[in-house]
């Protein structure tokens, strides 16, 4: 007997036979990361799902490129969970951070990063995924805040 469909979302490490999820059970990120014609889904740590194109991520990030390409070439089924036959790759960042990072590498409007804390979170993710252009843009944004606010409070450091 299979567990109810939502069971695989609560316990993502279930065997692959329990790994298919219905699109009715999950939360998708806003446009452009809700397009069902993409080939991968990134699942943020807070459960939001980002439909992404592996070609764009491969160009922007050697880390994600290796993860996605290695997984596609393995003989054994590499992913534990799927939505509409699209593999889900869990990532440790929150959806707000991933949304901002993906908007820097996708052909869409760049995110507004007004708060230094937000810049730091997105910059940390860009560095983790070795996204050179996003890292450079975020470093410049961080430096512009330092020029505007040379003496940041301890909580912002």
């Amino acid at each position: 007997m299979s567990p109810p469909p939502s069971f695989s979302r609560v316990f993502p490490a279930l065997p692959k036979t329990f790994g298919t999820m219905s699109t009715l059970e999950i939360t998708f990120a806003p446009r452009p990361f809700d397009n069902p014609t993409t080939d991968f889904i990134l699942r943020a740590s807070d459960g939001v799902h980002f439909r992404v194109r592996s070609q764009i991520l491969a160009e922007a990030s050697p880390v994600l490129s290796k993860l996605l390409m290695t997984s596609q070439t393995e003989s054994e089924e590499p992913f534990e969970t799927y939505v509409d036959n699209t593999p889900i790759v869990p990532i440790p960042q929150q959806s707000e951070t991933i949304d901002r990072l993906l908007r820097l590498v996708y052909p869409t409007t760049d995110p507004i990063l007004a708060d230094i804390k937000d810049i730091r979170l997105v910059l940390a993710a860009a560095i983790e995924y070795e996204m050179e252009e996003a890292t450079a843009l975020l470093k410049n944004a961080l430096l512009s805040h330092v020029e505007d606010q040379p003496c940041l409070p301890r909580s912002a450091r």
Side-chain angles (χ1 to χ4, degrees), residues 45-136:
S45 62
D46 54 3
V48 177
H49 292 69
F50 293 81
R51 293 184 184 265
V52 295
R53 299 190 186 282
S54 61
Q55 297 88 354
I56 293 174
L57 295 184
E59 291 297 323
S61 167
V63 172
L64 291 174
S65 176
K66 185 177 179 181
L67 171 70
L68 299 176
M69 298 311 151
T70 301
S71 297
Q72 287 181 330
T73 60
E74 292 176 0
S75 59
E76 184 181 327
E77 199 63 36
F79 301 101
E80 295 179 0
T81 310
Y82 290 79
V83 171
D84 298 335
N85 295 319
T86 305
I88 297 175
V89 178
I91 52 175
Q93 290 79 20
Q94 295 280 316
S95 60
E96 195 169 299
T97 299
I98 290 303
D99 184 83
R100 290 171 174 156
L101 181 60
L102 290 174
R103 287 179 188 283
L104 289 173
V105 300
Y106 257 70
T108 189
T109 305
D110 286 349
I112 296 172
L113 297 164
D115 186 86
I116 196 165
K117 179 184 170 199
D118 295 334
I119 295 170
R120 289 178 52 192
L121 290 171
V122 180
L123 177 58
I127 291 170
E128 178 179 340
Y129 296 119
E130 298 177 11
M131 295 177 159
E132 290 180 13
E133 177 146 354
T135 299

Side-chain angles (χ1 to χ4, degrees), residues 2-23 25-26 41 43 49 77 79-89:
S2 296
S6 62
F7 196 74
S8 61
R9 187 175 70 177
V10 177
F11 299 99
L14 288 174
K16 294 176 182 86
T17 55
F18 296 149
T20 302
M21 297 172 63
S22 164
T23 55
E25 311 171 339
I26 61 176
I41 296 173
R43 180 177 55 217
H49 292 69
E77 199 63 36
F79 301 101
E80 295 179 0
T81 310
Y82 290 79
V83 171
D84 298 335
N85 295 319
T86 305
I88 297 175
V89 178

